[in-house]
Amino acid sequence: MFKKNQTFTIEIQDIGSNGEGIGRIDGYTLFVKDAIPKDVVRIKITKANKNFGFAIIEEIISPSDDRVEPVCPVASKCGGCRIQHLSYQKQLEYKENIVKNNLERIGKAKDFVLHKIIGMDNPYFYRNKAQYPVRRGRDGQILMGFYAGRTHSVIETERCYIGTKENEKVLEIVKKHMEEYNIEPYDEVNHRGLVRHILIRKGFATGEIMVCIVINGRDFPNAENLVSKLLKIQGMADISLNVNTEKSNVILGKKIINLYGNGYITDMIGDVKFQISPLSFYQVNPVQTAKLYETALKYAGLTGEEIVWDMYCGIGTISLFLAKSAFKVNGVEVISEAIENARNNAKINGIGNVEFFVGKAEEVLPEYYEEQERSGGKGEADVIVVDPPRKGCDVRLCETIVKMQPERIVYVSCDSATLSRDVKYFEENGYRLREVQPVDMFPMTEHVETVVLIQKRHM
C-alpha cells in the first residue's frame, strides 16, 4: 500500500497529458512533477490514490539526455511552462504523439494522414498577450507574476521568457505607481484592494501595445500620471481600466474605461488587419497563427463558390481569411463585443461577403437550419469550420452539422482529447478523418493546437 511521504527511486517511462513524468512501481502509476522520460529520480509521494499517485522529485540521480536547464529561473514554480526542462525537439515529439494517440484511442480513427508538427524557429518571447495577477506577498511587497501550478499563489516573475519583453517595463511602472500612491493590490480572500490583474497585449506586426488594468472599483488614483509614464514605452497605443467587482475567478469584467487611445490596438495576420480590444479573443502566438490559418484555408479547399459557416469565430480572424476565397462566410460568436470587432474588421479590410451573428454556436446554427427546413428551403453549407473552446463542440452543434451535410469540416482544436471525441461522432455519422496538422502554438507548455480535415464519405 502506497502512502503520502514515502520515498522511492524510479525511472521515468513516459509523459502525461499535463506534462508530468510517469513512472511505475509494481504496477502502481506515479505522476511526477518536472520529470521526463529516462530520468532516474528519487521521489516523494505527495498524494496516494488506490491505483495511482502524485509525487515530486527529491533528487535527480541520473538525468535524461533530453533534460535541459530551463532559461527561466522560476519555471518549476510557475504554472505556465511545465515542460521547459525538456529539449524543444522532444517537446515537439511529445505533442505530436499526444495528438496521434488521442485520435486513435479516443477517436477510434484509422488511416488518416498525420503531418509532422509545425514548430518554431525561436520558441521564446512568442506570446502577444499576458495577464498578470497582482497580490501582496507575505513580506508586504507587491507581487506581479503568474500563479503557481494548481494554486492562486503568485510567483513573482520579473521576466517571462514566453511573453514580450515590454511586459517587464509595464509591470515595473505600474508597481512603482502603486507604491507611490499607496494603491492596494487585490485580496481575493476578503475581496478588498483595488488592482486585480494587469493585461498586456502587443501587435507583433504593428508594434502597438495595450495595457488594461483590472480593478475592484470604479476609478484609479492619479491615473493621468500613470498614463504619462506608460506612454514613454515605445509602441504604447492604448491604456484602459477594466472594472471587475465580482467575487469570482473570472479575470475581466464587462466595463472598460478608456484612459488613452482608441480602445483597441491593431495587428495583422498575413494581409488581413485586425482591431483588438481588451475583451477580444485573439490567438496568442501570431507567428504560428498564420501557419495554422493557412492550413485551415488549405483544408477548406475553397474555389470561390462555397457557402462557409465559421463557428466560434471570435473577432473574425478565420472568417476573414476564408472570405477571400469563398462565395459567402457566416461567422458565429457568443461574445457580442467580439462580433462588433469582427464586423469592424471586415469593414476595414473591405471584405463584404461575410456576415456575423451573435449567439451560442449550438443555438444559432440549429435554429438557422430548422428555420430553413420549416420554410421549405435548405440549410446550406459547403464547408463548416469549428474552433471551439477546450471543451469541444456541443452535441447539438455536431448533430446539426451532420444534418447540413457539408462536404468538408475543418476543425481547429486546442484540446486533442475533445477533438478526438468529436471526430469519433463524425466518423460514426458519414464522415472520415483525412488529414491532421499539429501546430506548436504554445512552446514550453504541454498544450498543442491541431487543425484537421474531416470529409464526407461518398458511397
Side-chain angles (χ1 to χ4, degrees):
M1 186 70 178
F2 293 90
K3 298 179 180 179
K4 183 178 178 180
N5 293 327
Q6 283 182 309
T7 61
F8 299 92
T9 296
I10 62 172
E11 180 174 349
I12 302 301
Q13 301 163 351
D14 203 351
I15 309 181
S17 59
N18 293 317
E20 68 280 78
I22 299 175
R24 293 177 178 86
I25 303 173
D26 298 330
Y28 187 78
T29 300
L30 285 164
F31 296 93
V32 185
K33 183 180 182 296
D34 297 333
I36 62 174
K38 299 184 180 179
D39 274 344
V40 177
V41 291
R42 188 172 74 247
I43 57 96
K44 180 171 76 172
I45 295 177
T46 56
K47 183 177 180 180
N49 296 318
K50 182 178 180 181
N51 298 315
F52 65 92
F54 299 91
I56 58 173
I57 296 175
E58 293 250 290
E59 181 187 0
I60 300 175
I61 297 170
S62 175
S64 166
D65 290 341
D66 299 317
R67 176 173 284 278
V68 296
E69 186 67 26
V71 297
C72 177
V74 296
S76 178
K77 297 178 181 178
C78 177
C81 297
R82 294 184 185 176
I83 57 173
Q84 198 177 126
H85 52 281
L86 181 64
S87 71
Y88 187 54
Q89 183 56 44
K90 288 298 178 180
Q91 290 183 32
L92 295 178
E93 291 178 18
Y94 156 67
K95 294 180 184 187
E96 193 174 298
N97 286 333
I98 285 285
V99 172
K100 179 178 184 293
N101 292 339
N102 280 338
L103 286 169
E104 291 177 343
R105 182 175 56 85
I106 301 172
K108 308 299 181 186
K110 301 177 181 178
D111 301 325
F112 57 88
V113 177
L114 175 64
H115 296 286
K116 186 176 179 62
I117 188 170
I118 300 174
M120 296 192 73
D121 293 333
N122 177 17
Y124 297 101
F125 303 113
Y126 62 81
R127 284 187 64 99
N128 59 20
K129 176 186 175 184
Q131 297 172 141
Y132 292 89
V134 184
R135 301 291 185 266
R136 193 171 289 285
R138 294 179 180 177
D139 60 358
Q141 297 298 308
I142 296 173
L143 300 180
M144 297 177 177
F146 297 105
Y147 292 128
R150 297 183 176 88
T151 76
H152 268 214
S153 298
V154 174
I155 303 298
E156 187 163 34
T157 310
E158 293 182 0
R159 172 174 292 180
C160 175
Y161 286 83
I162 62 172
T164 62
K165 295 179 181 180
E166 290 88 352
N167 293 355
E168 187 177 353
K169 186 63 177 176
V170 171
L171 297 182
E172 179 185 348
I173 289 172
V174 176
K175 181 184 287 189
K176 286 183 177 179
H177 184 87
M178 291 177 65
E179 291 170 343
E180 181 179 355
Y181 294 102
N182 297 314
I183 300 171
E184 277 296 307
Y186 182 64
D187 184 329
E188 62 183 354
V189 176
N190 59 34
H191 193 52
R192 295 176 182 171
L194 184 65
V195 181
R196 300 177 69 135
H197 282 81
I198 300 169
L199 166 66
I200 308 169
R201 290 184 185 265
K202 181 180 180 180
F204 275 35
T206 63
E208 295 180 3
I209 299 170
M210 166 189 290
V211 174
C212 180
I213 301 173
V214 184
I215 58 173
N216 177 41
R218 303 293 173 183
D219 57 17
F220 191 83
N222 299 93
E224 301 86 354
N225 182 275
L226 176 63
V227 168
S228 67
K229 295 172 185 173
L230 289 172
L231 287 176
K232 294 178 182 178
I233 299 175
Q234 184 176 356
M236 189 61 61
D238 193 78
I239 304 169
S240 63
L241 303 174
N242 175 265
V243 177
N244 181 2
T245 57
E246 299 296 320
K247 292 182 179 180
S248 79
N249 292 331
V250 176
I251 292 175
L252 293 172
K254 294 182 178 180
K255 184 178 180 181
I256 300 290
I257 301 172
N258 192 255
L259 301 178
Y260 175 84
N262 296 314
Y264 60 84
I265 58 172
T266 58
D267 198 15
M268 297 188 72
I269 302 175
D271 60 353
V272 182
K273 181 184 287 186
F274 297 98
Q275 292 182 352
I276 309 154
S277 72
L279 298 175
S280 297
F281 170 79
Y282 187 67
Q283 291 280 9
V284 301
N285 186 333
V287 173
Q288 297 296 84
T289 295
K291 298 171 184 176
L292 184 80
Y293 289 178
E294 286 165 6
T295 304
L297 181 60
K298 181 180 74 172
Y299 285 177
L302 303 176
T303 65
E305 303 297 323
E306 292 84 4
I307 295 173
V308 181
W309 282 83
D310 178 18
M311 316 308 296
Y312 313 95
C313 71
I315 63 172
T317 46
I318 296 180
S319 299
L320 300 182
F321 261 74
L322 299 173
K324 291 191 171 186
S325 302
F327 175 73
K328 173 73 181 295
V329 176
N330 300 304
V332 180
E333 171 59 50
V334 69
I335 301 173
S336 59
E337 293 88 354
I339 288 295
E340 290 177 18
N341 288 156
R343 289 168 178 160
N344 190 56
N345 288 331
K347 183 178 180 180
I348 65 177
N349 285 282
I351 298 174
N353 61 329
V354 60
E355 188 173 0
F356 293 103
F357 302 89
V358 178
K360 295 180 178 179
E362 62 269 25
E363 294 177 359
V364 173
L365 194 66
E367 287 170 5
Y368 162 80
Y369 176 78
E370 290 162 8
E371 177 59 33
Q372 291 294 312
E373 290 288 298
R374 284 193 297 269
S375 62
K378 184 180 178 183
E380 291 184 317
D382 299 296
V383 178
I384 294 181
V385 178
V386 294
D387 186 3
R390 201 164 294 280
K391 67 179 181 179
C393 293
D394 185 270
V395 173
R396 190 181 177 201
L397 175 62
C398 291
E399 291 172 347
T400 303
I401 290 173
V402 169
K403 290 177 183 176
M404 294 177 74
Q405 288 289 290
E407 184 65 30
R408 290 175 297 283
I409 302 166
V410 179
Y411 196 129
V412 181
S413 169
C414 60
D415 188 314
S416 61
T418 53
L419 163 68
S420 300
R421 178 202 66 202
D422 293 343
V423 162
K424 185 173 185 289
Y425 177 85
F426 291 123
E427 287 255 356
E428 292 172 345
N429 287 277
Y431 285 82
R432 181 179 172 185
L433 177 65
R434 292 290 188 182
E435 294 190 56
V436 179
Q437 178 62 73
V439 181
D440 190 23
M441 296 280 284
F442 316 104
M444 307 300 139
T445 81
E446 71 275 20
H447 302 297
V448 58
E449 199 89 359
T450 312
V451 56
V452 305
L453 169 61
I454 303 168
Q455 201 159 21
K456 185 164 66 173
R457 296 177 187 267
H458 292 281
M459 302 302 292

